[in-house]
Amino acid sequence: MPLGPLRPSPLVEQATEHLRAQITGGSWPVGTKLPGETTLAASLGVGRSTVREALRALAGAGLVQARQGAGVFVIAAEPEEDWTARLRRAAVTDVYEVRISIEVEAARLAARRRTDEDLAALTAALAGRRAAADGGDAAFVDADIALHTAVVAAAHNPVLSALFTEFVPTLRKGLIDMLELLGLRSGDPNHGDESHAALVDAVARGDADAAAHTLREELERTLTRLTSL
């Protein structure tokens, strides 16, 4: 597979993809020592700094490894699966178990750290969840997730917020499926309103234990339902 010169655009990304193709396509099997930076730069028609960045990206994907004084070697034929891809494949119950750990602690922190702006956002999100009761399951789930997102945001911990954001696509699908399969809203369109109102109230009162307890009970009930599917 000839490398060929690259077009002038995001050169690092292009160089990375060209080199990745050499590895995943079998031209450079595991154990192969890659050509030197100067050779690769000449083949690709880019500078050595571009090649260096591309090799760093490939190392980050687990495809190559630099060995001191020896060069860069291929150590895998396929890139490591990233966190987002793993979440897409994970069972929603597995994700939900982790969600409980994250959100319960977030609720505890939110009760201690919430600001007036956070309380306004929580009140609006609870109202939005109630308004969504008149809509379909997807709209209701989106409103429910928006309320939980507001709770996590009130914890003022960017790592917790980032982790929760990663879970949302898997959670959304699982919750919509659950509502449709179990018909939980057929007799109660605003399913779970009482517990969510109690959660917002606990955060507003600054009662960390009550916020954590209320949310844990709510999420564990949902997990039990998901497990039964």
Side-chain angles (χ1 to χ4, degrees):
M1 181 187 300
L3 291 175
L6 301 178
R7 302 181 310 277
S9 67
L11 293 180
V12 172
E13 289 85 349
Q14 289 188 64
T16 302
E17 288 307 311
H18 276 64
L19 297 177
R20 186 196 302 268
Q22 296 292 112
I23 295 170
T24 59
S27 298
W28 292 336
V30 173
T32 300
K33 178 182 176 180
L34 270 58
E37 287 182 4
T38 302
T39 301
L40 290 174
S43 299
L44 296 169
V46 297
R48 289 180 60 187
S49 62
T50 298
V51 170
R52 198 171 300 121
E53 289 298 320
L55 292 175
R56 286 198 187 104
L58 294 176
L63 291 173
V64 303
Q65 182 181 67
R67 297 174 185 168
Q68 188 67 34
V72 178
F73 291 81
V74 178
I75 60 172
E78 294 293 335
E80 293 178 351
E81 190 174 44
D82 62 21
W83 174 240
T84 302
R86 290 180 184 179
L87 283 178
R88 282 198 300 267
R89 289 195 309 102
V92 68
T93 50
D94 293 337
V95 173
Y96 220 87
E97 288 176 353
V98 180
R99 177 195 182 184
I100 291 173
S101 298
I102 289 173
E103 276 203 68
V104 168
E105 181 59 24
R108 189 183 300 279
L109 292 174
R112 295 170 178 164
R113 299 175 178 176
R114 83 287 185 276
T115 64
D116 290 342
E117 290 78 9
D118 294 325
L119 294 180
L122 286 166
T123 301
L126 181 60
R129 189 179 188 277
R130 287 170 170 167
D134 294 330
D137 287 343
F140 185 73
V141 167
D142 287 340
D144 178 78
I145 290 174
L147 174 55
H148 287 269
T149 300
V151 173
V152 175
H156 294 280
N157 183 311
V159 177
L160 285 176
S161 293
L163 285 172
F164 182 73
T165 298
E166 291 285 349
F167 291 151
V168 165
T170 303
L171 289 174
R172 183 179 187 274
K173 183 180 185 307
L175 292 174
I176 292 173
D177 290 346
M178 180 188 72
L179 290 177
E180 291 178 348
L181 290 171
L182 299 181
L184 294 177
R185 297 180 61 230
S186 58
D188 181 12
N190 196 10
H191 178 77
D193 179 65
E194 184 177 347
S195 61
H196 285 79
L199 170 62
V200 172
D201 179 65
V203 172
R205 289 186 286 105
D207 191 334
D209 289 340
H213 177 73
T214 299
L215 186 53
R216 179 178 291 279
E217 283 197 333
E218 169 64 23
L219 294 179
E220 287 183 347
R221 279 196 297 270
T222 304
L223 177 59
T224 299
R225 294 187 179 103
L226 287 169
T227 304
S228 70
L229 294 179

